[in-house]
Amino acid sequence: MLDCATIKKRFTKSPYSIFTLSSDVGKSFEDDSPCKEEAPKTQIQHSVRDFCEQTTFHGVNMIFTTSLYWVRFLWVVVSLVCICLCMYSFSHVKDKYDRKEKIVNVELVFESAPFPAITVCNLNPFKNHLARSVPEISETLDAFHQAVVYSNDATMDELSGRGRRSLNDGPSFKYLQYEPVYSDCSCVPGRQECIAQTSAPRTLENACICNYDRHDGSAWPCYSAQTWEKSICPECNDIGFCNVPNTTGSGNIPCYCQLEMGYCVFQPESRVRRIWEFQGNKIPEKGSPLRKEYMEQLTQLGYGNMTDQVAITTQAKEKMILKMSGLHPQRRAALGYGKSELIKMCSFNGQQCNIDTEFKLHIDPSFGNCYTFNANPEKKLASSRAGPSYGLRLMMFVNSSDYLPTTEATGVRIAIHGKEECPFPDTFGYSAPTGVISSFGISLRNINRLPQPYGNCLQKDNPQSRSIYKGYKYEPEGCFRSCYQYRIIAKCGCADPRYPKPWKRSAWCDSTNTTTLNCLTTEGAKLSTKENQKHCKCIQPCQQDQYTTTYSAAKWPSGSIQTSCDNHSKDCNSYLREHAAMIEIYYEQMSYEILRESESYSWFNLMADMGGQAGLFLGASIMSVIEFLFFAVRTLGIACKPRRWRQKTELLRAEELNDAEKGVSTNNN
């Protein structure tokens, strides 16, 4: 049998030296082994023992360097306990890292902040005398009046159990000027005409029928109900009168004809309206057959079982906004307040501003014509100093004498927002009353949030394409309204007229249609629930400017100043206190805050804490880990050697047989 030196020498000379240990791992093991050609199993055993005796993992080397078994057992127990404690500490450190906690750094910048955009509106969205010319608005206000009158004398037993039926059973021409109405009349003896009254008669037989002018709300002339009869006219003119008997039409138009005077008035609905319902101040007396009819009509108008005037006003506002939103934007703007009507005086930074050029029209569904100051993103305005004199000062004239009955307060509505943001005065607005000077001191906070995984915000370079507010910066409120609009389109088959359409092919919802109106109301209520709000997924932007506001007020104007009024009123100060408001919007200080979120526990902190725990319990470090990895690679390299080792062994045996055969041949010779 050959020794290791002979095997080494022959193997080196062999033509199959390609199977030699060419890797660094193999060479290192050959250098460490007393016999380079020993079996891989033996080499692994030697390698494990050498690693355990020389490793920097404290406790492991103590197990193999001692010859006392009880000491070795003690170090095994201690090592296992320390490993368990180290892994337990690792789990706590990992949980802290997974929480993705963050901290907020506050930085105070001492410089002038850019002035925000200011949107101002009248609390009254439309002029009363102009809104009355729109039939849908006039009907809504009449129904509101009837509901308010009844709420003052409501009995719940009469409200319960009443059904709901359609208000439009017959044909309707909404834009005619005249229609017949029932009225309680005071008739002059000896004359055919009667004088209309808003009180309720005992019965319809005691009432009269009047020609009601929808434009000015007057009822004249009036005649006894017995002198009218239902008939059919072949045609009807533009204001609602039928041309009989001289007519060339061939239509089939329902009308009420005045027998004694010889004319007919178009009948817009199957039920002739009662003037005491929408203009009267009292409901019919108990026991009167008209009282039940009054309450049925109230239910048909959508105010059944409602006695709270605040709730009635809120519902009337919603109905009016829906119906007004269905009008063309230009017609809607014509019903509101003009720029020069609403804004009488303006100054910014101590200088007079141009009202015509520096205010941009914004039509809001709730407040009608609003006007935005500093709406141009390319133009930068800044206050030179803090205080009211260097901010925006406005004198607003609201003309409370022409307010709608649904407008509960007198004054203006303002919204403070970024120049690239769409104003939402109904949600993020402040109200300022007439007769006072309202001061709004603002402060700017620039917020920078962390994106995922530390936070959940929308980055600026990833805008939402489903927003219906094109051209404006992303906002969560705009996202919620966009989500609502898409839901309405999906459920109702049309777009809510209060908000923009996502695409042109969508049709506007007809707010005069009862089915469509119910769909809008029902789906809007569903969206306000938490379950449906989760589907919207509206998150905060990563970068946002927030304006905080402090409010103060003082009586205005004072008696010491001399003011002038457009109507040349003798007591101009009292007139302005009733119809005008003064607004001041300014920075309270020439500095602003920057709030910046940052990670409180990063990956580097995780590695540092894990290293500290490993050093505390095991005495290990990064070098110890590398040492262990190198040992694993060496062991793997040795484990992969059996095939090459067998090939070398077979080669050596073949050489021995050849040498033996040569020796036999030599002896025979």
Side-chain angles (χ1 to χ4, degrees):
M1 189 67 181
L2 299 177
D3 58 1
C4 291
T6 305
I7 295 175
K8 171 73 175 178
K9 181 178 180 180
R10 292 184 177 183
F11 181 74
T12 305
K13 294 180 180 180
S14 171
Y16 298 97
S17 60
I18 189 174
F19 296 103
T20 58
L21 302 178
S22 58
S23 65
D24 293 339
V25 177
K27 289 180 180 179
S28 62
F29 269 95
E30 288 181 341
D31 295 339
D32 294 342
S33 303
C35 181
K36 276 70 177 179
E37 301 301 332
E38 63 185 3
K41 183 177 180 181
T42 305
Q43 292 185 18
I44 292 176
Q45 293 175 353
H46 290 166
S47 178
V48 171
R49 186 172 185 85
D50 291 343
F51 172 78
C52 293
E53 291 178 351
Q54 300 175 9
T55 183
T56 56
F57 282 96
H58 298 336
V60 177
N61 54 1
M62 301 299 298
I63 297 174
F64 290 88
T65 56
T66 180
S67 59
L68 299 176
Y69 289 102
W70 68 272
V71 176
R72 181 176 298 178
F73 175 78
L74 178 63
W75 277 110
V76 169
V77 174
V78 172
S79 298
L80 292 176
V81 171
C82 289
I83 290 173
C84 293
L85 292 175
C86 183
M87 298 305 296
Y88 180 75
S89 299
F90 278 4
S91 65
H92 279 271
V93 173
K94 184 62 168 54
D95 290 341
K96 183 178 180 180
Y97 176 76
D98 291 337
R99 286 197 295 268
K100 303 297 181 182
E101 296 176 345
K102 51 192 176 183
I103 57 177
V104 179
N105 300 316
V106 181
E107 178 183 356
L108 190 61
V109 180
F110 291 92
E111 63 180 33
S112 178
F115 202 78
I118 308 297
T119 299
V120 293
C121 318
N122 195 331
L123 286 178
N124 184 59
F126 309 106
K127 299 177 182 178
N128 184 45
H129 75 280
L130 295 178
R132 283 285 185 178
S133 64
V134 181
E136 294 86 354
I137 303 303
S138 181
E139 293 174 2
T140 303
L141 295 177
D142 290 343
F144 168 73
H145 175 82
Q146 182 177 349
V148 171
V149 171
Y150 180 74
S151 66
N152 296 325
D153 188 24
T155 55
M156 298 308 297
D157 57 334
E158 292 176 320
L159 282 170
S160 60
R162 298 202 309 269
R164 184 183 180 93
R165 52 189 174 88
S166 175
L167 291 174
N168 267 333
D169 298 328
S172 176
F173 296 85
K174 289 186 174 297
Y175 298 101
L176 295 178
Q177 183 175 353
Y178 292 97
E179 66 171 315
V181 294
Y182 276 106
S183 174
D184 187 16
C185 289
S186 175
C187 298
V188 180
R191 298 183 58 184
Q192 295 178 343
E193 292 187 14
C194 302
I195 300 175
Q197 296 179 351
T198 58
S199 58
R202 296 180 180 178
T203 61
L204 286 182
E205 288 74 13
N206 297 331
C208 61
I209 297 179
C210 305
N211 298 333
Y212 179 73
D213 191 338
R214 290 179 170 181
H215 290 182
D216 58 14
S218 62
W220 181 88
C222 302
Y223 302 95
S224 174
Q226 287 76 15
T227 63
W228 294 80
E229 70 174 10
K230 292 183 179 181
S231 182
I232 299 295
C233 288
E235 67 176 359
C236 198
N237 62 18
D238 294 338
I239 62 174
F241 284 98
C242 298
N243 298 321
V244 289
N246 299 323
T247 179
T248 58
S250 59
N252 190 20
I253 303 174
C255 59
Y256 260 87
C257 293
Q258 207 337 282
L259 301 179
E260 296 182 2
M261 302 303 298
Y263 71 91
C264 301
V265 182
F266 173 73
Q267 179 186 343
E269 298 178 353
S270 60
R271 179 184 185 271
V272 177
R273 294 203 297 167
R274 281 65 164 152
I275 199 171
W276 57 84
E277 293 179 347
F278 57 88
Q279 286 189 356
N281 296 321
K282 293 183 178 180
I283 65 174
E285 299 178 354
K286 290 185 178 181
S288 171
L290 299 179
R291 185 180 181 93
K292 182 179 180 181
E293 182 188 60
Y294 184 98
M295 292 183 293
E296 289 177 351
Q297 176 68 8
L298 188 67
T299 304
Q300 294 165 17
L301 294 172
Y303 296 99
N305 299 324
M306 294 184 68
T307 57
D308 191 328
Q309 293 190 13
V310 174
I312 292 173
T313 305
T314 303
Q315 184 168 329
K317 284 182 178 180
E318 289 295 323
K319 290 182 177 181
M320 188 174 62
I321 291 172
L322 273 172
K323 293 183 178 181
M324 191 63 79
S325 299
L327 301 178
H328 192 277
Q330 292 182 352
R331 188 182 180 196
R332 203 187 328 161
L335 300 177
Y337 295 84
K339 190 182 302 183
S340 59
E341 287 182 288
L342 183 63
I343 306 172
K344 292 298 183 181
M345 299 181 185
C346 171
S347 69
F348 175 74
N349 206 10
Q351 301 294 326
Q352 181 177 344
C353 52
N354 192 324
I355 298 176
D356 293 332
T357 59
E358 297 188 32
F359 285 84
K360 177 184 177 182
L361 173 64
H362 171 75
I363 302 179
D364 185 79
S366 299
F367 295 101
N369 293 349
C370 300
Y371 300 95
T372 303
F373 174 78
N374 192 25
N376 187 1
E378 298 179 357
K379 184 178 179 181
K380 296 182 179 180
L381 294 180
S383 300
S384 59
R385 294 175 59 184
S389 299
Y390 300 93
L392 178 66
R393 304 184 78 241
L394 300 171
M395 177 181 170
M396 313 279 293
F397 184 76
V398 300
N399 191 15
S400 58
S401 61
D402 202 14
Y403 266 34
L404 293 168
T406 54
T407 304
E408 299 173 282
T410 305
V412 297
R413 185 80 170 177
I414 68 170
I416 305 171
H417 54 93
K419 292 190 287 186
E420 298 180 356
E421 299 175 356
C422 181
F424 299 111
D426 57 332
T427 304
F428 305 112
Y430 304 92
S431 297
T434 57
V436 300
I437 179 169
S438 300
S439 299
F440 296 90
I442 58 176
S443 300
L444 173 62
R445 286 183 179 178
N446 180 261
I447 301 176
N448 298 270
R449 300 181 177 90
L450 281 176
Q452 292 182 344
Y454 288 91
N456 186 21
C457 64
L458 186 70
Q459 297 184 3
K460 188 175 181 180
D461 56 353
N462 184 28
Q464 287 198 350
S465 59
R466 290 175 58 87
S467 176
I468 60 178
Y469 295 95
K470 308 298 182 183
Y472 289 103
K473 187 179 179 181
Y474 168 82
E475 279 187 294
E477 179 64 22
C479 174
F480 277 116
R481 299 192 184 199
S482 300
C483 182
Y484 166 81
Q485 186 69 291
Y486 279 102
R487 181 183 179 90
I488 291 298
I489 294 175
K491 299 295 184 180
C492 303
C494 57
D496 192 324
R498 293 174 293 180
Y499 309 116
K501 293 188 296 185
W503 44 71
K504 293 183 179 180
R505 65 178 182 270
S506 298
W508 292 115
C509 292
D510 183 9
S511 56
T512 61
N513 186 286
T514 305
T515 304
T516 303
L517 189 61
N518 291 337
C519 181
L520 290 174
T521 306
T522 303
E523 295 302 327
K526 289 182 180 179
L527 193 66
S528 61
T529 60
K530 293 183 178 180
E531 182 178 353
N532 286 279
Q533 287 181 353
K534 295 179 181 178
H535 299 292
C536 292
K537 298 180 180 179
C538 294
I539 58 179
Q540 295 289 340
C542 293
Q543 295 182 354
Q544 184 181 20
D545 290 339
Q546 285 188 353
Y547 296 93
T548 57
T549 305
T550 58
Y551 175 76
S552 60
K555 187 178 180 180
W556 174 89
S558 66
S560 60
I561 65 172
Q562 297 295 327
T563 57
S564 60
C565 305
D566 294 339
N567 66 344
H568 304 288
S569 174
K570 293 182 180 180
D571 191 357
C572 191
N573 286 350
S574 299
Y575 181 76
L576 290 179
R577 290 191 189 103
E578 183 180 359
H579 299 285
M582 194 72 180
I583 307 296
E584 295 178 337
I585 304 171
Y586 57 91
Y587 275 113
E588 294 183 307
Q589 53 188 0
M590 298 306 293
S591 62
Y592 62 95
E593 293 181 345
I594 298 179
L595 277 63
R596 201 182 310 275
E597 292 183 348
S598 60
E599 53 187 26
S600 64
Y601 197 76
S602 63
W603 181 85
F604 182 80
N605 300 120
L606 174 67
M607 296 303 297
D609 285 353
M610 284 189 170
Q613 299 297 330
L616 175 65
F617 291 105
L618 303 177
S621 63
I622 294 295
M623 299 302 295
S624 302
V625 176
I626 296 175
E627 178 184 284
F628 179 80
L629 293 176
F630 184 71
F631 161 71
V633 172
R634 291 181 62 188
T635 305
L636 183 62
I638 296 174
C640 296
K641 286 175 54 180
R643 180 179 179 184
R644 290 184 293 171
W645 189 84
R646 286 194 301 269
Q647 290 176 345
K648 290 191 296 181
T649 304
E650 292 176 357
L651 180 60
L652 292 175
R653 289 179 180 176
E655 290 182 357
E656 289 178 357
L657 292 176
N658 291 336
D659 292 342
E661 291 177 355
K662 290 180 180 179
V664 172
S665 300
T666 304
N667 293 333
N668 292 335
N669 293 332

